[in-house]
Amino acid sequence: MPTARIFQRPKNAMQSGRARTQAWVLEFEPAEAKRPDPLTGWAGSGDTRDQVRLNFPTLEAATAYAEREGLGFQVVAAPERKLKLQAYADNFR
């Protein structure tokens, strides 16, 4: 039985906005370990499910898809946002 991971993408440190952080992503766990290609040295495997990433608007939609397709899944909670409120005057203390 293939297993999948359902999560929300965290905001990238280089982003100022929160675009695409509300969507839920389903990606498959790797079925086999990656190994280096002898010719190029790049890491790869024969598992093509590693390239599949599905986006869903809600957690319920993602879990319903996984249950309908018979996938074992694990929901990873989104990291909690930490706001560091700071005034401009704090730079000169």
Side-chain angles (χ1 to χ4, degrees):
M1 170 189 251
T3 59
R5 191 169 64 111
I6 300 173
F7 63 97
Q8 273 185 316
R9 253 187 255 175
K11 185 175 87 84
N12 187 337
M14 300 303 290
Q15 286 178 308
S16 60
R18 294 189 334 196
R20 292 189 290 181
T21 59
Q22 301 301 318
W24 289 85
V25 179
L26 182 141
E27 68 179 19
F28 292 95
E29 295 292 331
E32 61 185 56
K34 294 191 181 210
R35 56 192 182 282
D37 185 322
L39 181 62
T40 62
W42 295 354
S45 69
D47 183 21
T48 57
R49 288 182 302 160
D50 188 35
Q51 303 169 9
V52 177
R53 186 176 281 170
L54 302 173
N55 293 313
F56 296 93
T58 62
L59 174 61
E60 292 78 22
T63 56
Y65 173 81
E67 290 170 353
R68 184 175 69 241
E69 296 298 321
L71 301 172
F73 63 91
Q74 173 186 8
V75 177
V76 178
E80 191 174 318
R81 288 183 58 211
K82 298 175 190 169
L83 296 177
K84 183 179 177 185
L85 299 177
Q86 188 175 5
Y88 179 69
D90 292 340
N91 292 333
F92 303 102
R93 285 186 189 197

